Amino acid sequence: MLVCLTKKRSEQSPQTLWRIVIYYNTNSKVNTNRTVSIFDTTLRDGEQTPGISFTPEQKIIIAHQLSDIGVDVIEAGFPASSDAEFETVKRVCAEEGIRPLICGLARSVKGDVDRCIEAGVDMVHVFIPTSKIQRTYTIKKSHAEVLAITREIVSYARSKCDNVMFSPMDATRTEPSELLEVCIAADEAGATIINIPDTVGVSTPSAMREIIMMIRKNVKCRIDVHCHNDFGLATANTIAAVEGGADQVQVTVNGIGERAGNAELAQTVMILQSICGFRTNITTEKLVETSRLISRFAQIPVPPMQPVVGENAFSHESGIHSQGVMANTGTFEPGIMTPEMVGHRRRLKLGKHVGKHAIRQMLEDVNIRPSETELDSIVAKIKDISGRGKKVTEFDLFEIADDITGSHYDKKMFILDDISIFTGSHAIPTSSVRASVHGEDKICSRTGVGPVDAAMKALLAIAPGKIQLKSYQVEAISGGTDALGCVTIEVEDEKGRIFDAGASNTDIVIASAEALVNALNSVYRYGGFET
Ligand code: KIV
Ligand code: ZN
C-alpha cells in the first residue's frame, strides 16, 4: 500500500510553505547547518540501465571522477552477481586515490555479504523485498520471515563490516506498520544506515516526507533514500525525504538507472544547496564535466533541456530574454544557480526569436561593429533564415555580417586545400588532409570507424590547441541519392567555449570537413588559438 499521508495545507507551518519566498526575501538560507551526504550508485543501479555496460577501465575512471567531485559513498557494484563484477568491485576498492567509501550490494544471504567482504568494500548494502507483492512473487516469504532474515543478515554483515546499509526493497508500497517493524529490526541488529527505496517510483514528495519522518522517530541509525523516476518525481521525492529527516541521498549521474532511472546527481545537489540551503561535499563546478563523462561512456546523450547540465540550461534565444540577461543575468536565470557554479557556460543562441542586442553583442565579441541599419539587416536575415526552419550557426552569422557590412574578413586561420578518403567493405577507412594552418602547410592521415570519423580525426590532429568535437548532425536536403548533405557541428575549445558551424555538399565527407574547418575558424575569430 502506498503511504500517502499529506497534511492539510492549514496544518503546515508558514515557514515550510513559504520557505522559498523567505529565502528570496531575506536572502538567508534556512538549513545551512545540515550537511547531506551523497551516495552515488551510477556504477550499480546506473549500470542496470538497459543497454549500458561500463568496461572495468571506464568504471575506474568514473570512480576517480566521483571521488574528485566529492561524493561521500560510491556503490561500485554487486560482487555476487558475477565473477567479472566481483573483480571490478575489487579493483575499485584497491585503486589508489579514491577517497569515498566503497559500497557493495548484497542480497540478504550470507554468501553475498561474504563476496562483498572478499572484494574489500568499506560498506555492505543488504536488501530484502518487504512489500506484499514483492515478498509473494519474488522471494515467497511472509512478513515474519522477512523480519527474521533482516535481523540475521544485518547482524551477520555487522560482524564482518563496520558500515552496513539495510534496504527494505519497495518500501513505499510496504504496509507502513510492517515497514516500520523491519526498519526497527534492522536498527536493533546494528545497521548503521537504513535506506528507504521508492523502488518503482510511485511515491509523491508529501508521502516520502511522511515516511521518512515516521522512520526518523523510531530508529537511531542514519537514514538514506533511493528514488526511482517512473513518474518523473525521483528528484522531488529525494528532496522531500531530506526535508523529512534523511541524512543521505542516493543519486546517479544523468539520472541513469533501472527503467526511467534514479534521482539525478546534479539536480539533487543544486536543489539541496541553492534552493534549500543544505550543504553537501560536492564540488559543483565539476557537475557538467561529470555528466559529459558518463554520457560518453554510457553512449546516452544528455537531452538539451536537461536541468543544470543540459546544453540549453543557460542558453537564451528570445530577444527579451537575451537583452535581460545581458543587463543582469539574474533576470532570466535562477541567480542562485549560475553557469559558473556548475561548470557550464551561458550562451546567446541564434534563431527566429533572436534580438538585436544579442546579435550586436555576438558581433562585437569578434570585432564586427555594424551600423544601426546594417544591424537591422543582419537581424532580419537571421530571422528570415531561421523562420524557414534552417539552423543558423555563429559561422553563418559572421558570414552574413561580413557580407552586409562589406568588411570581408580574410584572416582565415585554417584553409582546407585537399581531402581524400580511402574506404571499402574490407578496408580501414583512412583520410588524408592537406591544409594551411596559420599560413603553414600541413598534411595528415588518420584512420577512423568510418570515412567521416577518419576525416575529422585528421583535421583535428593538425588544428592548433585542444579542440573536441561535441556534436555532429547530418540532414539530407531532398530525398534522392544526389541529396545535398547539410552537416552542423559543435566544437569545444580549451576554455570550454562551444562554437557551431555548418556546411553543405553532395559529398557528406566534404560537407563534414568543411563544417569542421568553419568551426575552427570561428574559434580563431573569437580569440582562440592565440599564437
Ligand atoms: O530500487 C531499489 O529498490 C534498489 C535496491 C537494491 C535498493 O535498487
Ligand atoms: Zn534502484
PDB file of all heavy atoms in Angstrom, residues 44-45 105 125 127 167 169 195 197 199 226 228, ligand 1:
ATOM      1  N   ARG A  44      26.310   1.017  -9.984  1.00  0.00           N
ATOM      2  CA  ARG A  44      25.485  -0.155  -9.662  1.00  0.00           C
ATOM      3  C   ARG A  44      24.098  -0.013 -10.271  1.00  0.00           C
ATOM      4  O   ARG A  44      23.828  -0.553 -11.337  1.00  0.00           O
ATOM      5  CB  ARG A  44      25.439  -0.354  -8.134  1.00  0.00           C
ATOM      6  CG  ARG A  44      25.022  -1.739  -7.709  1.00  0.00           C
ATOM      7  CD  ARG A  44      23.529  -1.981  -7.730  1.00  0.00           C
ATOM      8  NE  ARG A  44      22.815  -1.132  -6.776  1.00  0.00           N
ATOM      9  CZ  ARG A  44      21.489  -1.008  -6.782  1.00  0.00           C
ATOM     10  NH1 ARG A  44      20.744  -1.657  -7.654  1.00  0.00           N
ATOM     11  NH2 ARG A  44      20.903  -0.196  -5.911  1.00  0.00           N
ATOM     12  N   ASP A  45      23.212   0.807  -9.690  1.00  0.00           N
ATOM     13  CA  ASP A  45      21.870   0.952 -10.286  1.00  0.00           C
ATOM     14  C   ASP A  45      21.992   1.594 -11.666  1.00  0.00           C
ATOM     15  O   ASP A  45      21.291   1.217 -12.607  1.00  0.00           O
ATOM     16  CB  ASP A  45      20.972   1.806  -9.369  1.00  0.00           C
ATOM     17  CG  ASP A  45      19.503   1.434  -9.503  1.00  0.00           C
ATOM     18  OD1 ASP A  45      19.049   1.266 -10.640  1.00  0.00           O
ATOM     19  OD2 ASP A  45      18.802   1.309  -8.470  1.00  0.00           O
ATOM     20  N   LEU A 105      26.752  -4.147  -3.101  1.00  0.00           N
ATOM     21  CA  LEU A 105      25.362  -4.582  -2.869  1.00  0.00           C
ATOM     22  C   LEU A 105      25.334  -6.087  -2.589  1.00  0.00           C
ATOM     23  O   LEU A 105      26.127  -6.851  -3.145  1.00  0.00           O
ATOM     24  CB  LEU A 105      24.523  -4.271  -4.117  1.00  0.00           C
ATOM     25  CG  LEU A 105      23.027  -4.583  -4.025  1.00  0.00           C
ATOM     26  CD1 LEU A 105      22.316  -3.648  -3.046  1.00  0.00           C
ATOM     27  CD2 LEU A 105      22.361  -4.462  -5.405  1.00  0.00           C
ATOM     28  N   HIS A 125      25.801  -3.254   1.554  1.00  0.00           N
ATOM     29  CA  HIS A 125      24.414  -2.792   1.398  1.00  0.00           C
ATOM     30  C   HIS A 125      23.537  -4.023   1.188  1.00  0.00           C
ATOM     31  O   HIS A 125      23.533  -4.600   0.100  1.00  0.00           O
ATOM     32  CB  HIS A 125      24.353  -1.845   0.186  1.00  0.00           C
ATOM     33  CG  HIS A 125      22.958  -1.399  -0.184  1.00  0.00           C
ATOM     34  ND1 HIS A 125      22.698  -0.713  -1.349  1.00  0.00           N
ATOM     35  CD2 HIS A 125      21.758  -1.540   0.444  1.00  0.00           C
ATOM     36  CE1 HIS A 125      21.400  -0.448  -1.420  1.00  0.00           C
ATOM     37  NE2 HIS A 125      20.814  -0.949  -0.355  1.00  0.00           N
ATOM     38  N   PHE A 127      19.836  -5.914   1.046  1.00  0.00           N
ATOM     39  CA  PHE A 127      18.436  -5.543   0.783  1.00  0.00           C
ATOM     40  C   PHE A 127      17.558  -6.778   0.784  1.00  0.00           C
ATOM     41  O   PHE A 127      18.021  -7.898   0.540  1.00  0.00           O
ATOM     42  CB  PHE A 127      18.302  -4.803  -0.558  1.00  0.00           C
ATOM     43  CG  PHE A 127      18.516  -5.675  -1.776  1.00  0.00           C
ATOM     44  CD1 PHE A 127      17.426  -6.214  -2.462  1.00  0.00           C
ATOM     45  CD2 PHE A 127      19.795  -5.966  -2.232  1.00  0.00           C
ATOM     46  CE1 PHE A 127      17.615  -7.010  -3.587  1.00  0.00           C
ATOM     47  CE2 PHE A 127      19.992  -6.765  -3.357  1.00  0.00           C
ATOM     48  CZ  PHE A 127      18.897  -7.278  -4.030  1.00  0.00           C
ATOM     49  N   SER A 167      18.337  -2.069   3.159  1.00  0.00           N
ATOM     50  CA  SER A 167      17.237  -1.538   2.342  1.00  0.00           C
ATOM     51  C   SER A 167      16.025  -2.451   2.359  1.00  0.00           C
ATOM     52  O   SER A 167      16.103  -3.589   1.890  1.00  0.00           O
ATOM     53  CB  SER A 167      17.662  -1.416   0.869  1.00  0.00           C
ATOM     54  OG  SER A 167      18.557  -0.375   0.706  1.00  0.00           O
ATOM     55  N   MET A 169      13.371  -3.321   0.341  1.00  0.00           N
ATOM     56  CA  MET A 169      13.073  -3.001  -1.053  1.00  0.00           C
ATOM     57  C   MET A 169      11.571  -2.842  -1.265  1.00  0.00           C
ATOM     58  O   MET A 169      10.776  -3.583  -0.709  1.00  0.00           O
ATOM     59  CB  MET A 169      13.634  -4.077  -1.990  1.00  0.00           C
ATOM     60  CG  MET A 169      13.543  -3.668  -3.445  1.00  0.00           C
ATOM     61  SD  MET A 169      14.783  -4.471  -4.455  1.00  0.00           S
ATOM     62  CE  MET A 169      14.037  -6.025  -4.744  1.00  0.00           C
ATOM     63  N   ASN A 195      18.241   2.519   4.280  1.00  0.00           N
ATOM     64  CA  ASN A 195      17.883   3.179   3.027  1.00  0.00           C
ATOM     65  C   ASN A 195      16.416   2.898   2.726  1.00  0.00           C
ATOM     66  O   ASN A 195      15.972   1.755   2.797  1.00  0.00           O
ATOM     67  CB  ASN A 195      18.767   2.624   1.904  1.00  0.00           C
ATOM     68  CG  ASN A 195      18.312   3.078   0.528  1.00  0.00           C
ATOM     69  OD1 ASN A 195      17.970   4.238   0.349  1.00  0.00           O
ATOM     70  ND2 ASN A 195      18.312   2.165  -0.429  1.00  0.00           N
ATOM     71  N   PRO A 197      13.968   2.725  -0.177  1.00  0.00           N
ATOM     72  CA  PRO A 197      13.860   2.808  -1.640  1.00  0.00           C
ATOM     73  C   PRO A 197      12.420   2.981  -2.112  1.00  0.00           C
ATOM     74  O   PRO A 197      11.523   2.295  -1.647  1.00  0.00           O
ATOM     75  CB  PRO A 197      14.395   1.449  -2.123  1.00  0.00           C
ATOM     76  CG  PRO A 197      14.742   0.665  -0.910  1.00  0.00           C
ATOM     77  CD  PRO A 197      14.095   1.328   0.259  1.00  0.00           C
ATOM     78  N   THR A 199      11.192   1.937  -4.939  1.00  0.00           N
ATOM     79  CA  THR A 199      11.708   1.040  -5.974  1.00  0.00           C
ATOM     80  C   THR A 199      11.027   1.197  -7.327  1.00  0.00           C
ATOM     81  O   THR A 199      11.678   1.096  -8.369  1.00  0.00           O
ATOM     82  CB  THR A 199      11.589  -0.415  -5.462  1.00  0.00           C
ATOM     83  OG1 THR A 199      12.313  -0.481  -4.242  1.00  0.00           O
ATOM     84  CG2 THR A 199      12.133  -1.427  -6.447  1.00  0.00           C
ATOM     85  N   HIS A 226      16.414   6.309  -1.730  1.00  0.00           N
ATOM     86  CA  HIS A 226      16.784   5.854  -3.082  1.00  0.00           C
ATOM     87  C   HIS A 226      15.516   5.915  -3.927  1.00  0.00           C
ATOM     88  O   HIS A 226      14.620   5.090  -3.759  1.00  0.00           O
ATOM     89  CB  HIS A 226      17.310   4.414  -2.961  1.00  0.00           C
ATOM     90  CG  HIS A 226      17.581   3.705  -4.251  1.00  0.00           C
ATOM     91  ND1 HIS A 226      18.862   3.513  -4.743  1.00  0.00           N
ATOM     92  CD2 HIS A 226      16.756   3.093  -5.140  1.00  0.00           C
ATOM     93  CE1 HIS A 226      18.801   2.815  -5.871  1.00  0.00           C
ATOM     94  NE2 HIS A 226      17.527   2.545  -6.139  1.00  0.00           N
ATOM     95  N   HIS A 228      13.308   6.094  -7.536  1.00  0.00           N
ATOM     96  CA  HIS A 228      13.254   5.861  -8.987  1.00  0.00           C
ATOM     97  C   HIS A 228      12.323   6.866  -9.634  1.00  0.00           C
ATOM     98  O   HIS A 228      11.473   7.477  -8.986  1.00  0.00           O
ATOM     99  CB  HIS A 228      12.865   4.409  -9.275  1.00  0.00           C
ATOM    100  CG  HIS A 228      14.076   3.522  -9.205  1.00  0.00           C
ATOM    101  ND1 HIS A 228      14.911   3.338 -10.283  1.00  0.00           N
ATOM    102  CD2 HIS A 228      14.602   2.813  -8.179  1.00  0.00           C
ATOM    103  CE1 HIS A 228      15.908   2.534  -9.917  1.00  0.00           C
ATOM    104  NE2 HIS A 228      15.747   2.204  -8.641  1.00  0.00           N
TER     105      HIS A 228
HETATM  106  O1  KIV B   1      15.412   0.264  -6.394  1.00  0.00           O
HETATM  107  C1  KIV B   1      15.734  -0.448  -5.428  1.00  0.00           C
HETATM  108  O2  KIV B   1      14.926  -0.817  -4.574  1.00  0.00           O
HETATM  109  C2  KIV B   1      17.130  -0.857  -5.342  1.00  0.00           C
HETATM  110  C3  KIV B   1      17.550  -1.576  -4.094  1.00  0.00           C
HETATM  111  C4  KIV B   1      18.598  -2.573  -4.352  1.00  0.00           C
HETATM  112  C5  KIV B   1      17.942  -0.578  -3.063  1.00  0.00           C
HETATM  113  O3  KIV B   1      17.917  -0.540  -6.209  1.00  0.00           O
END
